[in-house]
């Protein structure tokens, strides 16, 4: 192979944290009184924001931070109508985030909820791992090659009862080690 035909493509995940900064993030993350779950994706049906809203409704003692751009006005209307209809005070929408705002959300999050129905190799999972965040996700594309039982949980069925039970199991296994109470 001719070396001139080889191209380097960076993976798109930058994290310049020192080991000390990383350890401080992990330690400070558990100083909060409530569990913080991050949804960091486009807010479209195929990326699972509706299922994540369902989890937020079922786990009201957990803060769900949504960050991303709405796909359509219908998605935006659904999101806000759902919040209003279900009196959801545990959901915060941050809009599309980059840079320091994204870093701030990653630093304070205890978990990433990534319920994608169509994906290949999501860099968002690698970003979460670079901040020591376990992932609750689906078995799409190459996700099963990225997430193992040390780094998170893969859910195979989006049936609401299964989703709720698996998310509770996920929180118990990866988060509740620090004595958070999940009702």
């Amino acid at each position: 192979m001719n070396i001139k035909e080889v191209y380097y493509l960076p993976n798109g995940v930058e994290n310049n944290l020192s080991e000390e900064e990383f350890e401080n993030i992990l330690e400070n993350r558990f100083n909060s009184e409530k569990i913080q779950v991050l949804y960091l994706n486009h807010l479209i049906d195929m990326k699972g924001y509706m299922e994540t809203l369902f989890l937020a409704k079922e786990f009201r003692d957990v803060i769900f931070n949504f960050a991303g751009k709405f796909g359509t006005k219908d998605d935006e209307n659904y999101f806000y109508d759902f919040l209003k209809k279900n009196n959801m005070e545990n959901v915060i929408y941050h809009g599309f985030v980059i840079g320091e705002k994204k870093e701030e959300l990653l630093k304070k999050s205890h978990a990433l909820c990534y319920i994608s129905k169509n994906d290949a190799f999501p860099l968002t999972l690698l970003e979460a791992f670079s901040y020591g965040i376990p992932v609750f996700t689906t078995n799409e594309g190459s996700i099963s090659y990225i997430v193992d039982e040390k780094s998170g949980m893969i859910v195979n069925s989006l049936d609401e009862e299964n989703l709720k039970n698996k998310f509770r199991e996920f929180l118990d296994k990866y988060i509740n080690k620090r004595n958070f109470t999940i009702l």
Side-chain angles (χ1 to χ4, degrees):
M1 176 181 282
N2 184 343
I3 194 70
K4 291 181 181 179
E5 295 176 20
V6 176
Y7 296 95
Y8 167 74
L9 179 63
N11 71 12
V13 175
E14 280 191 39
N15 179 330
N16 299 317
L17 298 174
S18 68
E19 189 173 328
E20 182 180 345
E21 289 171 314
F22 182 77
E23 292 297 326
N24 285 336
I25 288 170
L26 293 181
E27 201 53 45
N28 291 330
R29 181 176 290 146
F30 289 99
N31 289 335
S32 64
E33 293 192 21
K34 295 230 180 216
I35 295 173
Q36 304 265 337
V37 173
L38 178 61
Y39 174 97
L40 182 61
N41 209 335
H42 297 291
L43 281 90
I44 59 176
D45 179 49
M46 294 306 291
K47 297 300 181 179
Y49 83 96
M50 294 175 188
E51 287 79 6
T52 306
L53 280 174
F54 164 76
L55 290 174
K57 183 179 87 167
E58 296 297 312
F59 294 87
R60 291 180 184 262
D61 51 340
V62 174
I63 302 297
F64 283 78
N65 292 292
F66 282 77
K69 187 176 179 182
F70 289 105
T72 66
K73 191 66 175 165
D74 287 342
D75 290 318
E76 184 174 5
N77 290 338
Y78 179 88
F79 182 86
Y80 286 114
D81 289 345
F82 189 92
L83 296 183
K84 185 176 179 181
K85 176 184 172 190
N86 293 289
N87 194 26
M88 310 257 317
E89 295 181 10
N90 63 323
V91 172
I92 302 167
Y93 176 63
H94 298 272
F96 178 76
V97 298
I98 58 173
E100 289 180 15
K101 181 64 179 171
K102 185 178 185 180
E103 185 178 321
E104 177 188 319
L105 287 170
L106 287 163
K107 283 180 179 179
K108 73 178 186 179
S109 296
H110 297 94
L112 177 77
C113 193
Y114 196 89
I115 304 176
S116 181
K117 301 172 197 167
N118 183 11
D119 233 309
F121 190 94
L123 295 179
T124 302
L125 302 182
L126 301 181
E127 286 179 304
F129 295 157
S130 75
Y131 283 85
I133 302 170
V135 175
F136 182 76
T137 190
T138 50
N139 192 12
E140 282 297 317
S142 62
I143 290 176
S144 64
Y145 295 101
I146 303 169
V147 177
D148 62 18
E149 59 186 53
K150 291 180 184 175
S151 59
M153 180 180 286
I154 295 174
V155 62
N156 291 311
S157 167
L158 297 182
D159 166 75
E160 287 184 351
E161 194 63 28
N162 182 64
L163 199 59
K164 182 172 69 172
N165 291 336
K166 289 295 186 182
F167 192 70
R168 181 178 308 282
E169 184 181 322
F170 168 79
L171 291 177
D172 286 342
K173 182 174 182 179
Y174 295 96
I175 310 302
N176 285 348
K177 297 173 187 174
R178 300 288 182 136
N179 299 320
F180 287 102
T181 302
I182 303 297
L183 301 176

